[in-house]
Amino acid sequence: MATKAAAVRAAYLDGQSIASLAREHDVSRGAIRTAVADLMPEHTAVHQDVPASELAVALDMPGKVADFLLAAELDDAERAALDQGVTVRRGQGYTLRVSAVPSVHRALLAHCQPLDGAPSTPAIPAQRKARREYETRVNSLVADARR
């Protein structure tokens, strides 16, 4: 059983979806979620030696945000986080699972502001929605750190 759980966890980290893992192992999606719960974007690990604000956290960044950021000028830590991200196919699009400390996620989010549009440049609704989705995920890190 432990080897099966380890295989599921490894496949999830490699980008395989929860639904496909459930089909492959003939179990419910809930069982897969339970096996990979600590690897999911909503989860932040708590170590007693390291403050929560310094732990790397994996967040799924919408593909439209990732595409925008890949073309932006970023500092070395931000570029490294994007380059090490794992692409996860989602239907017709994708997300980029980025592992970084919360400060890097906040910096990446700050670079995305143009996706909301400006008076001189109208926003593209899909890009604005993707940026807001990423913003919600980043802001949840701040809420978790305060608890």
Side-chain angles (χ1 to χ4, degrees):
M1 191 64 150
T3 57
K4 192 172 190 178
V8 165
R9 292 169 61 82
Y12 179 78
L13 286 173
D14 286 339
Q16 194 168 351
S17 73
I18 289 174
S20 69
L21 285 167
R23 282 190 302 272
E24 181 179 317
H25 294 281
D26 197 30
V27 296
S28 70
R29 284 181 264 180
I32 299 297
R33 282 190 198 92
T34 300
V36 300
D38 62 323
L39 304 175
M40 295 180 85
E42 302 85 29
H43 179 81
T44 56
V46 177
H47 297 285
Q48 303 208 349
D49 300 346
V50 182
S53 61
E54 296 178 21
L55 292 174
V57 178
L59 287 182
D60 284 353
M61 176 185 293
K64 292 186 183 312
V65 171
D67 291 342
F68 179 81
L69 288 173
L70 287 170
E73 289 188 34
L74 305 173
D75 72 17
D76 293 338
E78 297 161 352
R79 179 65 58 196
L82 282 180
D83 291 344
Q84 294 170 4
V86 176
T87 301
V88 179
R89 292 284 165 205
R90 304 268 188 229
Q92 293 179 1
Y94 77 99
T95 60
L96 186 65
R97 186 164 294 137
V98 178
S99 292
V101 294
S103 61
V104 171
H105 282 293
R106 284 190 294 275
L108 289 170
L109 179 62
H111 287 295
C112 301
Q113 276 315 119
L115 294 178
D116 263 350
S120 61
T121 58
I124 298 171
Q127 289 179 331
R128 181 175 44 218
K129 179 181 177 185
R131 193 205 65 79
R132 288 188 177 153
E133 186 177 320
Y134 183 53
E135 179 180 36
T136 300
R137 293 174 184 166
V138 171
N139 287 341
S140 73
L141 293 176
V142 175
D144 287 344
R146 289 183 186 153
R147 290 182 202 169

